[in-house]
């Protein structure tokens, strides 16, 4: 059951990466592709990493102020990190926190005041935990940066068991 969630997460992450790489709108911030709903297996009392890929505008650096969750219910956002994806680094999708066995994790920097250089991609990573015994949700991952705010197009469901349909 967890494997299906992992494969779905990988597929979404790859689709986002391909969309960001193949976009002709290089002057705009690319964050998210087609709208999707994603279940993130989040056991009560455990923290998870929520990951997505962003491409900075081609004409200017992007300075991050904050990464969080839009419309969060029953889930808390914690620490946030940025990993530049230069040098062939593979993005981290959703994973247990900390994903120490993942070599990309070694290149993380705190998100606050981090710079993503013009036209470059970065992996946005947000530590999340359910705030109680009930399932949680968010309408997207949000990045606040110097000059604006953007929310990706992924709706998140945070549940202890992703193999069961939400009611």
């Amino acid at each position: 059951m967890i494997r299906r969630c992992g494969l779905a997460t990988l597929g979404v992450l790859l689709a986002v990466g391909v969309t960001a790489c193949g976009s002709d709108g290089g002057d705009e911030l690319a964050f998210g592709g087609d709208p999707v709903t994603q279940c993130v297996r989040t056991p009560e009392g455990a923290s998870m990493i929520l990951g997505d890929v962003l491409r900075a505008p081609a004409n200017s650096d992007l300075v991050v102020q904050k990464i969080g969750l839009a419309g969060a219910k029953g889930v808390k956002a914690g620490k946030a990190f940025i990993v530049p994806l230069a040098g062939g680094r593979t993005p981290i999708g959703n994973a247990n926190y900390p994903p120490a066995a993942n070599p990309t994790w070694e290149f993380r920097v705190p998100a606050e005041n981090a710079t993503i250089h013009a036209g470059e991609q970065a992996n946005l990573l947000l530590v999340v935990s359910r705030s109680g015994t009930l399932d949680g949700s968010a309408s997207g991952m949000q990045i606040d940066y110097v000059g604006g705010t953007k929310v990706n197009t992924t709706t998140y469901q945070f549940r202890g068991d992703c193999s069961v349909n939400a009611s």
Side-chain angles (χ1 to χ4, degrees):
M1 303 298 171
I2 294 172
R3 179 172 288 159
R4 282 197 324 223
C5 290
L7 289 175
T9 299
L10 179 60
V12 168
L13 195 57
L14 288 174
V16 168
V18 168
T19 300
C21 288
S23 175
D24 291 331
D27 292 337
E28 295 185 24
L29 170 69
F31 185 38
D34 292 333
V36 297
T37 298
Q38 188 177 115
C39 183
V40 181
R41 186 177 177 276
T42 312
E44 183 181 356
S47 294
M48 299 293 292
I49 286 281
L50 189 64
D52 205 344
V53 175
L54 172 140
R55 182 183 41 79
N59 59 353
S60 64
D61 289 349
L62 185 141
V63 179
V64 178
Q65 294 176 318
K66 181 181 175 184
I67 299 172
L69 292 172
K73 296 177 185 170
V75 65
K76 293 180 185 177
K79 296 178 183 179
F81 304 96
I82 300 286
V83 178
L85 292 177
R89 293 183 194 121
T90 302
I92 298 172
N94 302 333
N96 292 326
Y97 175 73
N102 188 313
T104 298
W105 181 244
E106 296 175 30
F107 297 96
R108 74 193 182 281
V109 296
E112 188 174 330
N113 298 316
T115 298
I116 302 170
H117 297 290
E120 292 187 2
Q121 288 188 324
N123 195 183
L124 306 185
L125 301 170
L126 181 63
V127 179
V128 297
S129 59
R130 287 188 5 227
S131 56
T133 58
L134 299 177
D135 293 341
S137 64
S139 57
M141 185 187 294
Q142 177 174 317
I143 181 169
D144 297 329
Y145 55 94
V146 174
T149 295
K150 185 144 186 173
V151 178
N152 69 359
T153 54
T154 302
T155 300
Y156 299 98
Q157 298 175 346
F158 301 96
R159 300 194 310 228
D161 184 355
C162 287
S163 66
V164 177
N165 290 331
S167 48

